[in-house]
Amino acid sequence: MARCTVIGNWKMHGTQTQARDLARGVRRLVGNRFRAVEVILAPPFTAIEATRRALAGSRVRLAAQNLHWQPSGAFTGEVAAGMLRDAGCSHVIVGHSERRRLFGETSRDVGRKLAAALEASLEPILCVGETLDERRRGDTHRTLSAQLSGALKGVPKSAIESLTVAYEPVWAIGTGRHAAPAQVADAHGWLRRALARRFGAASAREIPILYGGSVNPDNAAELARVAEVDGVLVGGASLDHQSFAAIVKVFSTEIPTATFNIRTTDT
Ligand code: PGA
């Protein structure tokens, strides 16, 4: 039984050949090792099949980076949950900040996507996180609250066993500047309590809460030691199989124990 989860989000990178090579590299380094860690790769749509083939028969699982909430129809350029299942995905990322910011996704859209994923038995990885302005204004918790309640509206308690939440502060994504352990502890603790209010404490404990934002092999250990961190969502560093495998290795050995005195507005 996996104790934590490490996901590689390849974003809009890679041809089919590059995806195949990267997936093979990950498979070679983590395929049969580090079993305490659930390993998931999220290639772009066009590389899902190449990645699936490269991972076939291994324990590494496949996620899509986005979906549409309708099962089919006249939605040019969109991909439905059932299509992703059919393509071999077990998971799908919803509400990534790049989708929210660059493509205008609202929390309502994110909620519809999450519901469509659950309906199709795809496990959603729900991303939430504040901008730097929101943090500086002291609105971090307010932002997380709005994003969480928008996305989880109408989600039945029975569905939460397939839910993963990723805390991804927008200011830490792709910037090379990860959130400090105390900030991560504060946000994850807050999310856990919010999930407990929504679903009950026992169920909330079962929901993995991942951290995302400039995770790399050098900072993985300090993040892995933070209480309530159940894994990481990795962007840039997942494009190199050795870096990604090094992060998986860290999470297979570090146990979260660190707690902090928290000042939420620090950046
Ligand atoms: P990053 O991206 O690791 O490149 O900061 C993380 C993410 O967007 O999930």
Side-chain angles (χ1 to χ4, degrees):
M1 178 66 188
R3 188 171 46 73
C4 55
T5 304
V6 174
I7 304 174
N9 174 11
W10 295 350
K11 306 193 179 182
M12 196 172 76
H13 291 288
T15 61
Q16 295 186 69
T17 306
Q18 288 167 330
R20 181 200 64 197
D21 292 348
L22 183 49
R24 281 184 182 163
V26 170
R27 179 181 184 155
R28 196 169 60 245
L29 294 183
V30 310
N32 284 317
R33 303 154 72 197
F34 317 126
R35 290 195 167 264
V37 185
E38 166 113 288
V39 180
I40 303 171
L41 298 178
F45 290 135
T46 49
I48 287 177
E49 175 59 12
T51 308
R52 187 191 67 75
R53 283 176 194 235
L55 298 176
S58 82
R59 68 185 188 89
V60 182
R61 303 174 80 194
L62 202 53
Q65 299 174 16
N66 185 28
L67 79 165
H68 193 268
W69 55 82
Q70 291 289 349
S72 64
F75 300 102
T76 302
E78 296 293 332
V79 178
M83 296 170 173
L84 297 174
R85 280 288 300 174
D86 181 54
C89 294
S90 54
H91 292 74
V92 62
I93 297 171
V94 290
H96 191 283
S97 67
E98 285 153 15
R99 300 289 328 161
R100 296 180 195 257
R101 263 183 330 115
L102 304 174
F103 301 100
E105 269 185 25
T106 63
S107 281
R108 181 150 181 263
D109 298 336
V110 175
R112 292 194 279 206
K113 290 180 178 206
L114 194 131
L118 291 169
E119 180 71 30
S121 303
L122 267 182
E123 301 188 25
I125 300 147
L126 168 65
C127 300
V128 295
E130 80 288 359
T131 62
L132 192 54
D133 275 354
E134 287 163 341
R135 174 164 283 273
R136 286 186 172 147
R137 284 201 306 268
D139 282 343
T140 296
H141 295 168
R142 201 192 313 268
T143 300
L144 298 181
S145 174
Q147 292 177 345
L148 208 56
S149 54
L152 297 179
K153 204 167 168 189
V155 169
K157 197 169 167 179
S158 58
I160 59 168
E161 54 193 46
S162 55
L163 176 68
T164 295
V165 173
Y167 169 59
E168 298 213 305
V170 177
W171 49 271
I173 295 177
T175 59
R177 180 184 173 206
H178 67 285
Q183 294 170 324
V184 178
D186 170 69
H188 283 226
W190 189 91
L191 286 166
R192 185 79 67 199
R193 290 190 295 280
L195 291 167
R197 282 195 297 279
R198 176 85 173 68
F199 297 115
S203 301
R205 267 197 301 277
E206 301 300 313
I207 301 173
I209 305 179
L210 315 184
Y211 167 78
S214 298
V215 178
N216 61 43
D218 296 330
N219 60 30
E222 70 170 330
L223 292 163
R225 283 195 287 266
V226 177
E228 306 288 2
V229 169
D230 301 311
V232 278
L233 179 47
V234 186
S238 72
L239 294 172
D240 178 289
H241 69 279
Q242 287 175 335
S243 297
F244 184 72
I247 294 167
V248 172
K249 184 174 180 207
V250 165
F251 273 83
S252 76
T253 51
E254 296 290 345
I255 305 284
T257 48
T259 51
F260 300 87
N261 285 328
I262 287 150
R263 286 172 47 213
T264 55
T265 52
D266 287 354
T267 55

